[in-house]
Amino acid sequence: MRVRIEITRRPEIADPEGVTVVRALQDLGFGEVTQARFDRVITLEVSGPSTEVVEARVSQMCKQLLANPVLEDFRVVIEE
Amino acid sequence: MRVRIEITRRPEIADPEGVTVVRALQDLGFGEVTQARFDRVITLEVSGPSTEVVEARVSQMCKQLLANPVLEDFRVVIEE
């Protein structure tokens, strides 16, 4: 099964990467950019008996390794 | 305008991060994972006179700063 995990920074958490990139773009002459947000997408190939089991297992992988639950939210989407 | 940039590693380029994470997941007891791919999504707030101009400008930002054209492909999507 292909599973897509969308990991986004929690809205209340400061985003230094975004702030830095906006400044860098403006310095390069792209003054029209006012905001930037960086998210991650992880695509996994996973085997399992059912989509429910795979979804639960992948959520556990996120909590244990793939996402940082203090800073990030994640969403698990079974693709096929 | 909100612009979404999807940055993916070129398929012919080795992906050490993916390989490492598959191994780490297997070590944690998630042996059902056989492949992992890491992509990036950047969301920008950009002003501009038309979607065509914004798309062209954002493509230039990708080439100059946001993506690594040697390792990565990017796709620009105007969201609103």
Side-chain angles (χ1 to χ4, degrees):
Chain A
M1 241 172 268
R2 175 163 301 158
V3 183
R4 181 184 165 90
I5 306 163
E6 297 171 1
I7 300 176
T8 54
R9 184 174 284 265
R10 293 190 162 191
E12 68 271 22
I13 302 285
D15 180 7
E17 191 176 10
V19 173
T20 304
V21 163
V22 169
R23 204 174 310 142
L25 285 170
Q26 289 175 344
D27 289 349
L28 284 171
F30 297 108
E32 69 262 49
V33 181
T34 55
Q35 235 185 320
R37 206 185 65 224
F38 284 72
D39 298 318
R40 302 191 287 136
V41 175
I42 305 175
T43 312
L44 298 179
E45 266 321 315
V46 189
S47 57
S50 71
T51 57
E52 288 74 21
V53 169
V54 168
E55 215 178 310
R57 293 275 292 171
V58 171
S59 291
Q60 235 187 314
M61 294 176 206
C62 288
K63 286 175 198 152
Q64 277 187 250
L65 183 77
L66 300 175
N68 178 342
V70 176
L71 301 177
E72 296 171 321
D73 289 321
F74 63 87
R75 197 165 79 95
V76 175
V77 184
I78 307 287
E79 288 206 323
E80 59 186 50
Chain B
M1 241 171 269
R2 176 162 301 159
V3 184
R4 182 184 163 91
I5 306 163
E6 298 173 0
I7 300 176
T8 53
R9 186 172 281 265
R10 294 189 163 193
E12 69 270 23
I13 303 284
D15 180 7
E17 192 176 10
V19 172
T20 304
V21 163
V22 169
R23 205 174 310 140
L25 285 171
Q26 290 174 346
D27 288 349
L28 285 171
F30 298 108
E32 69 262 48
V33 180
T34 55
Q35 235 185 324
R37 206 184 66 223
F38 284 72
D39 299 318
R40 301 191 288 137
V41 175
I42 305 175
T43 311
L44 298 180
E45 263 325 313
V46 189
S47 57
S50 70
T51 56
E52 289 74 21
V53 169
V54 168
E55 214 179 310
R57 293 276 289 172
V58 171
S59 292
Q60 234 186 316
M61 294 175 205
C62 289
K63 286 176 198 152
Q64 277 186 250
L65 183 76
L66 301 175
N68 179 341
V70 176
L71 300 177
E72 296 171 321
D73 290 322
F74 64 87
R75 198 165 80 95
V76 175
V77 184
I78 308 287
E79 288 206 323
E80 58 185 52

